[in-house]
Amino acid sequence: MGSAQVCLVPVGTYRRLWLLYLLERFRDACFGKVRLQKVAYFSEERMGQRPFAFQKAPYGPYSEGLEETLEQLLSMGLVKAEPLGKDGNKYRVVRAGDGESPYGRWLESVDPPAKIAIDQAVAQYGYLPQERLIETGHSAAGFEEAAPFDEILSASSSETVEVSLDTDECDELVLSLSPAFDAVRRQLEETDWAAHVDRIAPIDRL
Amino acid sequence: MAGALKTAARKLAQDPRGAGKALRGIHDPELQGAVYRLHVGGPGGHRLFYYVPPSRGSAQVGLVVPIFLSSERRKDFNYDDVDVNALGADIVSDYRAGRFDAFGILEPEVVPECAL
């Protein structure tokens, strides 16, 4: 194992980790984006280090940043969307292998209160009927007084986030949640490396 | 870093899978056990991430594809600077375009002993 230290990771990595942990806390899956947005809002409301800004929207607090991060996770294959007919999709984290998921441990290394806040918000709001959830969203702090699409909860402004993990584990965290690395891995997989090995010349000296 | 790189090259030529440690957090099952990290220049050295193409049937491909080599040593590493896309994608595109002069077959005995 590497030495324990504080690594600085890009805030985008933290956003992807935060959302993966939140989705993972649902028993089966998160049913619908409205539910996801509300539970994310109520998680953040209890936190100091906030990954996403929220604005006033017709169905309650809404975050464009969270929507974009969800799209990233879907395109990276880390989250799967399954259709629910006219009610949109349900979202679940795609597990890598049979081992224990690292997301909770990684999130705790960034911000232990975030993990607790998410656990509580999923338990309290994650399974409410949709209408009740929307009503609850409309009663969020500052929602009623805000103009449509005004920001009602701001995100932390830092571009990097401190992570208390050993360096090896930081590598795992950053690479496994990196869209850039995801693009490379697709190219690595799709290349037929065996096809042309015989056309590579030996190196005489190094 | 030249000497350390030669040492790393020798290790990789001898045993690509044994030279580094497989990244465990790789999500894609196709890549699990295929992407490795090696610290060039010892445990506190520069990170090298590399890919070992999996065997096809009984055939070993016998290539090591470097994805990223950090310019900083381990403790000074800045994740904002990780541009795996640039380096990894360049190597893939060179190979696909048939620019095979950018690659080489390295036998362990070619690496000078003095580099070890």
Side-chain angles (χ1 to χ4, degrees):
Chain A
M1 294 293 285
S3 54
Q5 66 168 82
V6 173
C7 305
L8 286 177
V9 303
V11 72
T13 303
Y14 176 56
R15 289 187 183 126
R16 291 185 281 278
L17 172 62
W18 192 94
L19 186 51
L20 281 166
Y21 180 73
L22 185 146
L23 285 167
E24 200 176 55
R25 296 311 293 163
F26 282 85
R27 278 195 297 271
D28 171 29
C30 176
F31 284 67
K33 280 187 184 174
V34 170
R35 185 171 306 277
L36 178 61
Q37 289 276 352
K38 274 6 116 202
V39 174
Y41 172 83
F42 287 115
S43 301
E44 274 205 18
E45 209 185 24
R46 306 164 190 219
M47 290 169 44
Q49 177 122 351
R50 295 171 179 150
F52 302 109
F54 283 81
Q55 62 189 45
K56 177 173 177 168
Y59 294 105
Y62 169 82
S63 168
E64 264 181 27
L66 185 137
E67 181 83 26
E68 284 166 15
T69 302
L70 177 65
E71 289 304 318
Q72 262 182 351
L73 295 176
L74 287 165
S75 71
M76 290 169 72
L78 295 173
V79 170
K80 191 175 171 191
E82 295 167 29
L84 289 169
K86 63 180 173 54
D87 294 327
N89 293 304
K90 63 177 179 178
Y91 300 92
R92 75 169 85 238
V93 173
V94 178
R95 297 295 305 275
D98 299 328
E100 189 193 344
S101 162
Y103 301 142
R105 190 162 38 82
W106 287 346
L107 185 64
E108 204 161 27
S109 76
V110 182
D111 187 12
K115 190 167 175 279
I116 296 164
I118 290 172
D119 289 349
Q120 289 175 345
V122 171
Q124 192 172 346
Y125 304 103
Y127 309 101
L128 288 179
Q130 179 99 338
E131 295 75 23
R132 178 85 193 286
L133 192 63
I134 292 170
E135 274 173 30
T136 312
H138 287 162
S139 63
F143 188 86
E144 203 173 296
E145 308 85 75
F149 305 106
D150 268 3
E151 186 172 284
I152 54 170
L153 192 66
S154 58
S156 306
S157 57
S158 174
E159 287 301 306
T160 53
V161 173
E162 288 189 356
V163 181
S164 301
L165 287 175
D166 67 56
T167 53
D168 286 358
E169 195 128 34
C170 263
D171 291 349
E172 301 272 356
L173 163 62
V174 174
L175 279 191
S176 62
L177 302 186
S178 157
F181 181 68
D182 184 62
V184 171
R185 82 161 172 81
R186 285 168 202 258
Q187 294 183 47
L188 289 169
E189 276 173 31
E190 289 163 5
T191 301
D192 185 359
W193 295 99
H196 306 296
V197 169
D198 56 348
R199 295 175 63 185
I200 299 176
I203 297 173
D204 297 331
R205 56 186 292 275
L206 195 67
Chain B
M1 184 159 67
L5 270 177
K6 286 180 181 174
T7 305
R10 185 179 180 89
K11 284 181 184 172
L12 290 170
Q14 282 174 330
D15 179 11
R17 293 181 190 280
K21 276 173 73 174
L23 293 181
R24 294 162 296 155
I26 300 294
H27 178 264
D28 187 332
E30 297 288 318
L31 278 192
Q32 281 170 9
V35 177
Y36 295 80
R37 170 191 41 236
L38 174 66
H39 289 118
V40 176
H46 306 256
R47 284 168 174 76
L48 171 66
F49 297 121
Y50 64 95
Y51 171 67
V52 181
S55 316
R56 301 226 161 181
S58 59
Q60 293 285 328
V61 178
L63 277 181
V64 171
V65 184
I67 301 170
F68 176 77
L69 176 63
S70 68
S71 53
E72 306 100 331
R73 293 180 66 79
R74 189 172 178 179
K75 68 179 173 51
D76 303 320
F77 192 52
N78 179 354
Y79 288 96
D80 271 344
D81 293 339
V82 179
D83 191 1
V84 288
N85 199 28
L87 180 56
D90 281 354
I91 289 175
V92 172
S93 74
D94 278 348
Y95 193 82
R96 286 182 175 179
R99 290 189 281 272
F100 299 117
D101 55 341
F103 296 82
I105 303 291
L106 179 66
E107 298 294 342
E109 56 272 19
V110 171
V111 185
E113 286 296 327
C114 62
L116 293 174

